[in-house]
Amino acid sequence: MTGFDAGGRTPRGWIDATRALPDGHPVWPGDAPFAVRPTARIPNGSSVNLMRFEGTTHLGTHVDAPFHVRESGARIESIPLETLIGPGLVIDVAGARGPVAPEELPDGPYPTRVALRTGEPDAWTSFPTEIRPIDPATVRHLAAAGVRLLATDAPSVDPLHDADLPAHHACCEEGVVIVEGLALQAVPAGPCTFVCLPLRLIGTDAAPARVVIAPAGDPVRP
């Protein structure tokens, strides 16, 4: 694949909707910090440069598994690829406040994958203190219309200080996969092809993911 330009777009139409992960990328307050450190350096006599990284499974752009909020829930390796890849719809709900309500959404039908652009910047210098969460009624409205993946540019589908996590639980109950922390500033609203590939971790509650989106009408030849 040809390299992405400054706007995250390739000559063949793909837009990188993944947050870049520099050392020290902001994480949920109290979560494991993200760090990248060298373990071997050629200038110091090693034959190679090597690095290690560490941090939360909810780093940047990531996929939540049901196990995140339910002890008996499925873990990340159980999420099928066919849910993560295919036709999608990006909906712009930026500019308003409060939870994203069903009446803000366009009329259906909806594809299997819906991404909500709430207005979060593509790069955080610090962790957000106010976001647009998703009303559980919106989750149920979309699930009833056949949506099986709900994504957002916010770090959570729930309010930052709501330990009850109603939107997370609604997604679990409705069989909807959650993708959080997208970078959507360069992605136009409308139909698209959506590709989300979480790391193939085993037994975890979440995994960082690479997400690319091709707006409808853009060529997406390999």
Side-chain angles (χ1 to χ4, degrees):
M1 179 179 287
T2 307
F4 293 101
D5 64 19
R9 185 185 292 266
T10 72
R12 292 192 174 95
W14 291 105
I15 302 173
D16 196 343
T18 314
R19 291 182 179 275
L21 296 176
D23 179 46
H25 185 279
V27 299
W28 196 281
D31 208 344
F34 178 61
V36 179
R37 299 288 184 269
T39 57
R41 294 286 284 115
I42 293 172
N44 295 335
S46 177
S47 61
V48 294
N49 289 314
L50 290 175
M51 305 188 79
R52 66 176 176 84
F53 64 90
E54 57 187 22
T56 174
T57 53
H58 294 260
L59 178 66
T61 303
H62 64 277
V63 179
D64 280 2
F67 180 63
H68 179 46
V69 294
R70 297 196 172 184
E71 184 63 28
S72 61
R75 306 199 185 200
I76 194 69
E77 68 270 20
S78 299
I79 296 176
L81 283 175
E82 55 264 32
T83 302
L84 300 168
I85 301 172
L89 177 67
V90 177
I91 302 174
D92 188 356
V93 292
R97 297 173 64 88
V100 179
E103 53 267 26
E104 295 181 61
L105 305 181
D107 294 335
Y110 303 103
T112 300
R113 301 150 202 89
V114 168
L116 300 179
R117 186 171 63 210
T118 70
E120 286 293 322
D122 285 355
W124 292 319
T125 56
S126 60
F127 196 80
T129 58
E130 184 177 353
I131 65 170
R132 288 209 74 194
I134 301 173
D135 192 314
T138 300
V139 174
R140 296 189 175 92
H141 169 76
L142 291 170
V147 172
R148 291 295 172 263
L149 181 148
L150 182 55
T152 176
D153 56 359
S156 178
V157 296
D158 277 304
L160 295 178
H161 304 294
D162 190 342
D164 290 334
L165 302 172
H168 278 84
H169 284 287
C171 286
C172 284
E173 291 160 8
E174 300 293 343
V176 175
V177 173
I178 300 169
V179 182
E180 296 168 327
L182 291 177
L184 293 177
Q185 284 185 305
V187 181
C192 66
T193 300
F194 186 95
V195 177
C196 175
L197 296 176
L199 290 178
R200 198 176 180 183
L201 302 179
I202 300 298
T204 63
D205 64 313
R210 189 69 177 263
V211 176
V212 293
I213 295 174
D218 278 1
V220 292
R221 298 182 304 275

